């Protein structure tokens, strides 16, 4: 059963005994970090390209690490130094190398081969795919005294960067970034199973931040960011992007969604999840992921500033 809105607020609470709350509690960690969820509606060919890049990167990583390990072992065996020196030097050196290899494998290749590859074998490439990850530990909590619209916009900017595909494990430079991330594959597989069993719907995984307090789960519905975006420069850039891409029909659909005024400024209104899903599905059929478009626009706007 899909989660129902308890009020017009973009900050929602789940009933304690709901299937979705039980699912989130099962996969949350001891620190109650919570989750960021999102539905990836990017074109299937883009997903295949991302997977191919990730496969190439991780095969290279495995080959490089295998070669490094083999070279280290052979060099140690052929070393002309005394046995005592070998033991002291080689053990120290090998421990450092092994630790580095394990960190790289644990953060890059293991999630890819045991998570991403297994997901593709089981489900292939889908038009809409669930993304679940832990919020970044560096995320700064926003002042609760701020107006709701400002808080939601701040959460959106943090979360869109946190799930930026360019910082996923398929990017070589991202491996060494503090914002590097992988998906919670165990939660994704469980979510797919529960959706199939009818415990909740895929749409319940729309873009949101989930946190629990005393066993009560709350969400910040980031998919509703189009209701509260206050940066007129970004709104103008969004319109320009669609116009230059020849997607005037999508622009009209988006404007209808926001009930724009004659002056061009959008009027804040509470859109239904169904209306939002219809809109993003139309974007997807045109080969565009609605959230990705906003991520690109936001990045360009921040670069200008």
């Amino acid at each position: 059963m899909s989660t129902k809105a308890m009020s017009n607020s973009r900050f929602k609470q789940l009933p304690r005994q709901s299937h979705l709350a039980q699912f989130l509690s099962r996969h949350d960690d001891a620190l109650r970090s919570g989750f960021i969820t999102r539905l990836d509606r990017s074109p299937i060919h883009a997903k295949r390209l991302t997977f191919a890049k990730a496969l190439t990167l991780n095969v290279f990583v495995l080959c490089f690490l295998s070669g490094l390990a083999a070279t280290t072992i052979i060099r140690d065996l052929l070393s002309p130094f005394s046995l005592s020196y070998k033991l002291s030097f080689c053990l120290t050196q090998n421990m450092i190398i092994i630790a580095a290899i394990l960190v790289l494998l644990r953060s890059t290749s293991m999630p890819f081969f045991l998570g991403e590859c297994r997901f593709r074998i089981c489900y292939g490439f889908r038009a809409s795919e669930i993304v679940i990850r832990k919020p970044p530990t560096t995320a700064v909590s926003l002042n609760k005294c701020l107006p709701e619209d400002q808080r939601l916009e701040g959460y959106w900017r943090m979360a869109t960067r946190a799930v930026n595909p360019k910082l996923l494990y398929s990017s070589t430079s991202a491996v060494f970034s503090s914002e590097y991330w992988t998906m919670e594959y165990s939660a994704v597989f469980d979510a797919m199973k529960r959706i199939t069993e009818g415990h909740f719907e895929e749409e319940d995984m729309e873009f949101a931040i989930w946190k629990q307090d005393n066993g009560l789960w709350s969400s910040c519905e980031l998919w509703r960011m189009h209701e509260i975006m206050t940066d007129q420069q970004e709104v103008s850039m969004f319109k320009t992007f669609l116009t230059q891409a020849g997607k005037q029909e999508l622009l009209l659909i988006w404007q209808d969604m926001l009930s724009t005024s004659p002056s061009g400024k959008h009027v804040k209104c509470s859109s239904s999840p169904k209306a939002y899903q219809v809109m993003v599905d139309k974007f997807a059929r045109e080969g565009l992921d609605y959230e990705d478009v906003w991520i690109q626009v936001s990045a360009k706007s921040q670069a200008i500033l």
Side-chain angles (χ1 to χ4, degrees), residues 222-235:
L222 299 179
W223 63 267
R224 295 172 65 174
M225 48 69 57
H226 52 269
E227 298 175 10
I228 51 85
M229 289 302 289
T230 57
D231 191 326
Q232 289 302 312
Q233 180 182 22
E234 290 190 7
V235 173

Side-chain angles (χ1 to χ4, degrees), residues 40 42-51 125-127 129:
D40 180 5
S42 58
I44 290 179
H45 68 82
K47 295 184 176 77
R48 287 174 175 162
L49 180 60
T50 298
F51 178 80
F125 295 90
R126 300 161 61 92
E129 297 181 352

